[in-house]
Amino acid sequence: MTEQLPPKSLRVLGFMTGTSLDAVDMAVIETDGHDILGFGPSGEMKLDAETRTLIEYAIEDAFDWERDEEEPESFDDARMAVADAHLAASLGFMAMNGVKNLDLVGVHGQTVLHEAPTKELAGRTVQLIDAVAVADGLGLPVVYNFRTADVAAGGQGAPLAPVYHAALVRWSGLNGPVAVLNLGGVGNITLIRSDGELQAFDTGPANGMVDLLVQSRTRKRMDEGGQLARAGTVDKAALEDYLSHPYFAASGPKSLDRFDFSLDGVEHLTLEDAAATLTAFAAEAVALGVARCEETPTQIVVCGGGRHNPALMEALKARLSMPVTIAEDHGWRGDSIEAEAFAFLAARSHLGLPISFPGTTGVAEPLTGGRTANPGDEPGFEPDEF
């Protein structure tokens, strides 16, 4: 990718709240929108139970939200709760780390709905946050709503981190083809080809289905340390049924919502066997994705919460022929990459540079995106969906 770039370096604070509803992740980077010029502090603040509950109400309502209806009232409650959580997290984080002289803030917001486009219907994507409240609270411009311009142009709206993955690979001096695999609620892979071009798509469910399983049957939120999966046995029939889904026969670009696959296929299994089966499903989905890469990667670098799950990492290594490393092996901050990515995307949006590409979201041509809320802007709601 060849770009004409302004010389300005920006110091940006980025935020990410994932579908696990676990925490607000924060990270500061310095960038010119093309290269990583420096890393500032990073951290997280756990979401409290009240905020999680409001988001869960919004997610439930999103399931039943018809396209011709007014948005559910729960969206506005969640939007303010997410903004309050971001403000509390950032003010504490900035005070603790002495963060000053920021130019910009990038916030992803909380995804409550993501519907990929089909032949019959345009896509829809909703990330909730009151960006004006965050801008007022921090006294800084806030770039948000990164996905909707891509969706409006016929793209998948996801994944958006690939252009940052490419910057990390350059920063590390790795030679392509290299794949970066993010294991969040949904897995996504970025191939940085030997010519520097990008190919990316969602591989399939990653942590999300196992998290939902554990939450539905226990008081825990995840399979900590992969203990349940390691204690169980993979049900081959259930696994094959999941893998028969047409999603895996489709070429990218393609994207998923964490709820596109249900737990019905493992309802008849014990908790341990279900966890083992869903963990194997996540790994098999990645292997199928790697097989669809335009070039065979020389190595795969894993980031996201899934790299902390030994059962999932073992399943990946058993299915992939190339070395599988983790972010920290290359000096990356594995728990902060998505927050860093949205800082990077905010800088690119501010500079008018593209954040999505034909090879990553399927948009017709490289496209910038994001909206900016400035301190003092009139409060009000801009629809976040298309």
Side-chain angles (χ1 to χ4, degrees):
M1 296 177 296
T2 302
E3 298 169 346
Q4 297 298 316
L5 295 163
K8 181 168 176 59
S9 170
L10 296 169
R11 185 167 165 83
V12 190
L13 170 62
F15 294 90
M16 181 65 185
T17 48
T19 54
S20 66
L21 307 185
D22 179 48
V24 177
D25 295 324
M26 298 160 281
V28 175
I29 65 168
E30 294 179 21
T31 179
D32 59 5
H34 180 69
D35 289 316
I36 301 164
L37 305 178
F39 294 95
S42 64
E44 69 168 22
M45 186 190 81
K46 298 293 184 183
L47 289 176
D48 60 48
E50 182 180 358
T51 300
R52 280 203 306 270
T53 298
L54 289 172
I55 296 169
E56 287 166 350
Y57 286 152
I59 291 170
E60 289 173 10
D61 287 345
F63 277 122
D64 300 321
W65 181 33
E66 299 294 339
R67 290 173 181 250
D68 58 351
E69 293 179 348
E70 294 282 331
E71 75 158 25
E73 291 183 8
S74 58
F75 280 20
D76 210 37
D77 293 336
R79 189 176 283 113
M80 268 313 307
V82 172
D84 289 344
H86 278 65
L87 269 177
S90 57
L91 292 172
F93 168 77
M94 292 167 70
M96 181 180 300
N97 293 284
V99 175
K100 297 178 182 178
N101 302 319
L102 292 171
D103 296 297
L104 201 61
V105 174
V107 294
H108 176 262
Q110 183 63 55
T111 296
V112 295
L113 175 72
H114 184 80
E115 296 175 350
T118 66
K119 291 181 180 178
E120 295 78 24
L121 291 172
R124 287 200 300 174
T125 189
V126 181
Q127 287 74 45
L128 297 179
I129 191 163
D130 186 328
V132 174
V134 178
D136 284 341
L138 296 180
L140 290 164
V142 173
V143 184
Y144 70 111
N145 208 354
F146 289 92
R147 301 187 188 273
T148 53
D150 184 87
V151 170
Q156 296 279 322
L160 290 184
V163 70
Y164 183 64
H165 292 160
L168 279 172
V169 166
R170 286 195 303 276
W171 178 83
S172 302
L174 297 176
N175 295 316
V178 173
V180 179
L181 174 66
N182 178 60
L183 295 174
V186 169
N188 56 74
I189 192 166
T190 301
L191 175 71
I192 298 92
R193 297 185 342 195
S194 51
D195 63 2
E197 292 300 313
L198 303 178
Q199 180 192 11
F201 51 87
D202 287 348
T203 57
N207 307 321
M209 289 187 74
V210 181
D211 290 350
L212 289 172
L213 170 76
V214 173
Q215 292 162 20
S216 69
R217 299 199 196 183
T218 76
R219 294 187 177 182
K220 295 183 177 181
R221 296 198 62 79
M222 66 187 71
D223 182 8
E224 296 176 3
Q227 294 178 8
L228 293 172
R230 282 176 150 177
T233 301
V234 174
D235 186 294
K236 292 183 179 179
L239 176 59
E240 289 174 2
D241 187 54
Y242 277 124
L243 292 171
S244 69
H245 192 284
Y247 184 82
F248 300 106
S251 297
K254 55 183 180 176
S255 65
L256 284 171
D257 185 87
R258 73 183 295 213
F259 299 108
D260 283 345
F261 290 81
S262 81
L263 296 176
D264 294 348
V266 292
E267 281 298 318
H268 63 293
L269 302 178
T270 66
L271 174 60
E272 292 79 6
D273 289 354
T277 301
L278 294 176
T279 299
F281 177 35
E284 291 280 3
V286 169
L288 290 172
V290 171
R292 288 190 170 274
C293 286
E294 293 166 346
E295 293 180 292
T296 301
T298 56
Q299 68 174 298
I300 294 178
V301 184
V302 183
C303 54
R307 79 191 192 289
H308 295 307
N309 183 331
L312 179 53
M313 291 298 294
E314 289 164 8
L316 285 173
K317 291 176 181 179
R319 289 164 172 81
L320 297 172
S321 60
M322 64 286 296
V324 178
T325 59
I326 62 171
E328 286 76 9
D329 293 333
H330 306 280
W332 305 356
R333 303 186 295 190
D335 290 322
S336 303
I337 287 174
E338 286 195 298
E340 293 171 6
F342 281 93
F344 188 74
L345 292 170
R348 290 183 69 87
S349 176
H350 180 74
L351 296 169
L353 297 171
I355 65 173
S356 59
F357 304 84
T360 62
T361 67
V363 73
E365 57 186 22
L367 184 71
T368 194
R371 297 173 181 167
T372 301
N374 292 292
D377 281 354
E378 285 294 320
F381 168 57
E382 289 185 271
D384 285 335
E385 84 290 340
F386 285 90

